[in-house]
Structures are given as C-alpha cells and as structure tokens.
Amino acid sequence: MVLVAGTGMTAFNRRKDGSGFRDWASDAFEEALVAAQIGRSDIDALVVASESDYFSMQLNPASVLSDDFGLSGVSCQRAEGGGASGQVAVHAGATLILSGLARRVAVVGFEPSASYLSGAAVSELYGYSFDAWTDGMSGVSSTALYALSAKAFMARCGATHDDFAAIAVQNRTYACDNPLAHLPLEITAEDVRDSTMISDPYRRLDCSPLSDGAAALILTHPDAAPESRRACPRITGIGAGSDRVRLGDRSDPGYFAGKEIAARRAYAMAGIEHPHRQIGLAEVYDAYSGAQLQAIEALGLSEDFLAEFRSGCFAQSGRLPVNLSGGLMGQGAPVGATGVAQAVSCVRQIDGTYHSGLQLRDPPRVAIADTHGGVATVCAVTVFSGEAE
Amino acid sequence: MKYQLVLDYHLGEGALGPYLEGLSEGIALARQCRRCDRVTFPPERNCTCQSQDNLPASFGWKTLAGTATIVHRTDGLGGGYALARFDGADNLAVCRIDNPDEEGAYATLLATGEYRPAITVEISGEPFETVE
Ligand SMILES: [Zn+2]
C-alpha cells in the first residue's frame, strides 16, 4: 500500500502563452509538493512520464526536470508505454516504494502534444505508436485503427454510433464543470453526428484532442508521510498487461484483452472480487468515444455493460460514474500527463476535494484509473482507496 | 522559438526483409510455422504454438495468391483502411485501400514500390456489408 500524499495538475489545453513543458511540469510538481506538506529534500526518487521525444525535443527529460525541480541527487527515470505512460509511471513510482528502494517519490507526467507541432505532424507520429513496421508504414492513423477495433466491437455486441455519440456528449458536458478541461462543450448527439467524418464510425467529436499540460503526484510509504497526511487516499492495487500489438493478430480485434488482464491483476492486489459492486468511480481511457465502452467491458465494471450503459449506470448519478473529469475527450490528452491526471481525479474524488460540480456527494471508497498505449496493447490499471477502516 | 528537424532513415529490415521486398513488388509473402502450419500475413515473428508450449519452432516463407476478403472497413478524411483476411492466411491484415470509392468485399494486393512498402489493396466485387 502506497499513500498519495499530494496531487497537482495544470490546465489541459493548447497553450498560447509561450510557456513550455518545463513550466507546466514545474507548476504541477510544486502544487503536489505543497499539498503533500513535505519539502523537496524529502523526495528520494522522481519518475517522469512522457510518450515521445519527437513531441518535446528533449531526450532524457527526467534529467532536465529533476534539475528544474531542485531535486539534483535523487534517483530519476522516465517511464514510457505510449498512451499508458502516465499510469506506467505511477506504477513505477509505487513499485519503488513497495520494494523499499524509495520512501517518497514524485511522479510527474507531461506532454506538449498541442502547441509544439502541427496536428498533422503529431498524427503522423502517432501512426508509429502501433506496429510501425507493418501497420505504421501503410499510413494508417490512430483513428482508423481504433475505428476498425470499434467496428469489430459493434458487430459483436450490438453497440451503435448512437451509444458512442452519447459518450462524446456526456464527457464534454462533465468537462464544463472542470475548470482545467480542454474541451468543455455544450453539444448534442446531433452535433456529434454532424461533425466531420474522420474514420467511420468516428467523427471529429468522437475523438480526444491533442493537449498540452502536466500532472504530478507525491507518493509515500505509509510511514513516510507527514502525520497530517497519513489518512490520505492510497494506492491499493496496480496491474499491467498487454495484448498482441496488431489488431489482425488478435482473436477478437474489438475486445481489449490486455486491459482485462491488467484489471484482474490490479483487482487481485487490491482484494477486489466483485469490481462492478466494489468500485465507485472509474477514469478510463477514452481516446475515442467507443473506446470508453470497450474499456467498461474489459474492466469488468458491469455484468451487462451495454444495457447498463444505456440505463445510465455510468453517468454522474449512476451506480459507477465513469470519466467525470471529462476523460481524454473532455479534459484533454497531453499523453504523458493523462494517466497521472486520472490518478489526480480519483484521489481528489475519494478525498472529497474535486471540482464542486463534479464531486460525488458520497465520495467513492474505491476508484480506478485505466490507461493504455496502442489500441489497448500496453495496459495499466490502478486502484485507489480511502483510508482503511 | 522556431526549430526544424529533418530525419532520413535507413531502417534495417531484418527478418521482415523478404516480406517487405514482396510488398514492393505486389507479392504476398506470408510466414509459415513449420510445426503447426500457421500462416501469417503480415508475418508474425513468433508462432502462437510457441506461446503455448515454449518449444522452438522454425519458419519458412509461403507465397499467397494476394487476394483477400474484407472483414472490417473504415473510411474518412485519412482514406480507406480495412482489416482483411488474405486467402491462405490465419490472421488478419490492416490494408490501405487504393480505390476507396469502391465498396466491394474483395481485395487484391498491389505493388507499392521500394519507398515505405505496406499492404495496399485494390477493392472489387459486390458491396461489403458494414455495421453502423
Ligand atoms: Zn506454430
């Protein structure tokens, strides 16, 4: 068990103020450090999440950030798993503490996915985050691969684009109450259906944006947090798993099998036997609207996910609210920061300190964060819990 | 500040060499496991039978007809792409569709030349049934 003593995150958006990723990372780190009520000299390790040097023009970013943060001398490393990078870094940080190698770890994720390069350049680079040697060389976009997976999912379970559009609307609606969100939009399903077709079934409003931003956590051993922070939310389970990298090599290209493996491992560590009954909140990886439904299925959040989704089980007022932050589609997606920000949302919800319009009246006792890289190829799931009774 | 980076790669093709050379000429060269006969296009480096029993397997190349059936298809701003099963292959391939205005259920491999070889197909036949 690992305490999350402090959290911090910047707004996710397209920066137009001339600031850079080192500014955002420092802002997120300082906020988390203050919240944790510890000094920087108490930190003994730094884990940095960033997907690609192509985006940042900085190899070995952990070396730069440890210096910027005034942490020179700490153990530092970068964690990377494509879109899962943020959550992979959370796992790396937690593992340092669980193994006894560190007592207080800063985990900082960042990505300048919006303002540094053109959208076309970022999209081309994303194409190489699948199997660059086969699929990537065809010029296939991330959206097209997710669309092919969604088609297989729809054909198997009967989900329709109307379901996807409802998710696209819902996540943007939640983002309206999240002052840090990139896409707070008041839209209808008709707006989604009328937006430009990118790769059917996915239209522009079914896609998550490219965002700039950073997020940070201070993790501590239970004995290493200041007395005032010992009742803070904790990480009780981490689990990772993987799937065949190419959709065509999977027995069902529409099922996120690697995510199921990651979730099972995280639940086992946290002692969760009935995820659909024991989990009170989930932040899942909605790179595309349909991927949110595919995630709900693979994470075992329901025994009949499509019917439960249609009846509102995963809405703010439902049994298990999903992506109240707005998710990637609403809050935004600065890749390395995404998974760390999911953790921030889960911890603040459990703590009862989330954005007022989105804070659950009865804070969840157990929340999960779920991210993946590729089309659910590298998967990482983290379980957060309130103070043990 | 402004900054431009231009990179010109010469990528080592390794085990994929024959496959990539085949694509540049429009030949569907699949990899076949000599133990369980599984045929993969695009080729898998490991065979599923190895994952099961961890015993060594050896592989050979097998030339397929280059014809395929569309299983799933997507179209939009970035062009048309499909998951298709090449005749004789046990896995599916992501294919770029060269003639996206056609809606047929069948595909034939095209030669892509030496620059950036990738599975590119021409569509033909009766319309493909898709899910909405
Ligand atoms: Zn075999």
Side-chain angles (χ1 to χ4, degrees), chain B residues 91-114:
Chain B
N91 62 343
L92 303 180
V94 168
C95 313
R96 190 182 76 79
I97 297 171
D98 194 55
N99 56 339
D101 292 339
E102 291 295 321
E103 295 178 342
Y106 300 102
T108 307
L109 187 71
L110 297 177
T112 46
E114 284 181 11

Side-chain angles (χ1 to χ4, degrees), chain A residues 65-86:
Chain A
L65 294 184
S66 68
D67 201 52
D68 282 359
F69 298 166
L71 296 179
S72 191
V74 297
S75 141
C76 64
Q77 61 175 286
R78 179 230 197 118
E80 196 271 317
S85 297

Side-chain angles (χ1 to χ4, degrees), chain B residues 6 17 31 35 44 53 62 85-86 102 110 112:
Chain B
V6 178
R31 204 152 187 253
R35 211 172 51 157
E44 295 173 343
D53 62 17
K62 180 180 183 180
R85 186 181 303 281
F86 275 78
E102 291 295 321
L110 297 177
T112 46

Side-chain angles (χ1 to χ4, degrees), chain B residues 32-38 46-50 57-59:
Chain B
Q32 183 168 32
C33 173
R34 289 208 174 99
R35 211 172 51 157
C36 74
D37 287 337
R38 178 175 163 85
N46 258 280
C47 186
T48 43
C49 71
Q50 281 179 288
S58 63
F59 298 90

Side-chain angles (χ1 to χ4, degrees), chain A residues 54 57 128 133-140 144-145 147-148 151-152 154-155 196-200 204 244 246 248-249 253, chain B residues 3 7 9 11-12 16 19 42-44 48 72-78 81 83 91-92 94 96 116-118 130-132:
Chain A
Y54 290 113
M57 275 307 298
Y128 299 115
W133 290 83
T134 52
D135 296 350
M137 286 295 158
S138 72
V140 69
L145 287 172
L148 289 170
K151 291 262 178 144
M154 295 160 90
T196 307
M197 181 67 84
I198 307 297
S199 236
D200 79 297
R204 176 77 64 198
R244 301 298 302 273
R246 297 189 307 228
D249 292 336
Chain B
Y3 184 80
L7 303 170
Y9 288 95
L11 303 170
L16 286 175
Y19 157 79
E44 295 173 343
T48 43
H72 297 290
R73 175 173 170 169
T74 180
D75 291 90
L77 273 186
Y81 284 87
L83 263 174
N91 62 343
L92 303 180
V94 168
R96 190 182 76 79
R116 209 174 160 165
T130 188
V131 289
E132 292 301 336

Side-chain angles (χ1 to χ4, degrees), chain A residues 153-228:
Chain A
F153 172 73
M154 295 160 90
R156 170 170 52 79
C157 75
T160 67
H161 184 259
D162 285 348
D163 297 314
F164 296 178
I167 289 170
V169 170
Q170 179 175 282
N171 291 8
R172 270 49 174 269
T173 302
Y174 295 149
C176 293
D177 282 321
N178 177 350
L180 303 178
H182 190 167
L183 287 185
L185 303 175
E186 291 178 16
I187 54 169
T188 64
E190 203 172 329
D191 295 325
V192 179
R193 284 192 289 272
D194 287 346
S195 62
T196 307
M197 181 67 84
I198 307 297
S199 236
D200 79 297
Y202 289 138
R203 294 174 177 276
R204 176 77 64 198
L205 285 169
D206 288 300
C207 307
S208 54
L210 302 172
S211 314
D212 297 324
L217 304 177
I218 304 294
L219 307 180
T220 77
H221 185 277
D223 301 335
E227 285 292 341
S228 58

